[in-house]
Amino acid sequence: NFDKKELTLFPGFFSILNEQRPCCGSDLAFFWRRLHLADRDLIRASLQSPMEKDSTIDIEFRLKRRHEDYIWVRAQGQIETGLKGTPESLMATVTDINQQRATQEELERSKERLHHASKCTNISLWEITREYDDQGERRFVWWSDSLYSILGYNKQELEQSQEQIYKIMHPEDLARIQTEEKTIMGNDFSPIDLQFRLRHKTDGYIWLNFIGHREKLANNSFIATGAII
């Protein structure tokens, strides 16, 4: 309740932090004590800026567990606002995403290390992310600049999309790869090891080995990373 400056935390919130509800003091004071100092401005800005009626909120921040380090959590909810756009009340859920954040950060570090290594070799890195929202499935495809060198294209000639790869794939490989892709993406943590031909800009089709692994994320989403050799 923004008007009364009151916060009510339910038992599940304290369970995430391995805590019991304090015997004295307000929930609001407890929350601010456990919130990471670097995230406080983010929380204030998210809750104090003018909003449209019934705005939603989706914020990631850190909270301190009892006798432990900080963990990442995600707050999602809906804010009820007054006529002038001033927030009046908020109802939200808080989810522990610490393992997910740690996995994503490690993937980013690994991708950065491999990116530097790929500059010295004939190897390209790739990443595919599949997410779900109210609009359905969204798929994001990325590969490192080395693939342009391997295939002889520039960035304007070969956009980063799965459809573009299918367009330059050898017709004899296309159906097989599409079938194998469905099998791989339908299983958790499946290793990826595919061989197929892509059309070089000037030298015809060349064989490539597409290797990597897949990590499952929340809400049936996933991220897959690897190398093209």
Side-chain angles (χ1 to χ4, degrees):
N1 188 305
F2 293 101
D3 290 336
K4 297 181 180 179
K5 296 184 179 181
E6 293 179 347
L7 174 66
T8 302
L9 301 174
F10 291 94
F13 180 89
F14 296 99
S15 297
I16 290 176
L17 301 181
N18 297 330
E19 271 281 9
Q20 299 291 328
R21 182 183 292 276
C23 60
C24 56
S26 68
D27 285 355
L28 182 60
F30 175 85
F31 176 81
W32 283 108
R33 286 198 305 270
R34 293 305 178 92
L35 181 64
H36 197 289
L37 289 174
D39 297 330
R40 293 188 177 184
D41 288 342
L42 170 66
I43 298 297
R44 290 192 183 99
S46 300
L47 299 180
Q48 292 178 357
S49 58
M51 303 177 183
E52 298 179 357
K53 184 178 180 181
D54 299 333
S55 297
T56 58
I57 191 169
D58 190 342
I59 311 174
E60 296 182 3
F61 52 90
R62 288 157 290 185
L63 293 172
K64 184 173 178 60
R65 277 180 170 168
R66 185 179 185 181
H67 307 312
E68 296 182 30
D69 294 333
Y70 286 89
I71 63 167
W72 280 97
V73 299
R74 182 182 186 184
Q76 297 172 285
Q78 184 166 329
I79 297 176
E80 295 184 1
T81 59
L83 296 177
K84 296 182 179 180
T86 303
E88 292 184 346
S89 63
L90 165 66
M91 177 67 72
T93 60
V94 176
T95 307
D96 182 350
I97 60 167
N98 202 53
Q99 184 59 48
Q100 179 181 332
R101 286 287 298 235
T103 299
Q104 291 175 337
E105 290 172 1
E106 179 57 32
L107 285 172
E108 287 298 321
R109 287 192 291 267
S110 296
K111 188 170 72 173
E112 183 66 22
R113 290 193 294 268
L114 287 170
H115 177 67
H116 291 301
S118 70
K119 293 180 179 179
C120 304
T121 62
N122 203 29
I123 297 175
S124 175
L125 308 179
W126 60 267
E127 178 179 292
I128 300 175
T129 305
R130 185 178 70 185
E131 299 178 352
Y132 291 94
D133 57 20
D134 295 339
Q135 305 300 318
E137 177 184 324
R138 296 187 300 165
R139 186 169 295 197
F140 305 94
V141 176
W142 169 89
W143 57 70
S144 63
D145 291 347
S146 300
L147 185 60
Y148 297 109
S149 299
I150 293 172
L151 296 175
Y153 297 99
N154 59 45
K155 293 183 179 180
Q156 289 70 39
E157 295 171 322
L158 190 66
E159 66 177 20
Q160 293 194 347
S161 70
Q162 191 171 24
E163 292 75 15
Q164 187 66 51
I165 290 296
Y166 285 159
K167 286 181 181 179
I168 63 172
M169 186 175 292
H170 196 288
E172 294 179 1
D173 298 332
L174 182 57
R176 172 177 59 84
I177 293 301
Q178 290 176 325
T179 299
E180 292 184 4
E181 179 202 3
K182 291 179 180 178
T183 301
I184 292 170
M185 297 313 179
N187 298 320
D188 292 342
F189 310 111
S190 298
I192 301 171
D193 189 350
L194 305 174
Q195 295 182 2
F196 50 83
R197 289 161 288 184
L198 294 182
R199 187 174 63 248
H200 190 279
K201 184 176 180 179
T202 58
D203 296 336
Y205 288 94
I206 62 173
W207 279 98
L208 296 172
N209 193 12
F210 187 85
I211 59 175
H213 70 282
R214 173 181 180 271
E215 295 285 347
K216 187 176 181 181
L217 304 178
N219 301 323
N220 293 322
S221 299
F222 73 81
I223 183 170
T225 58
I228 303 172
I229 304 173

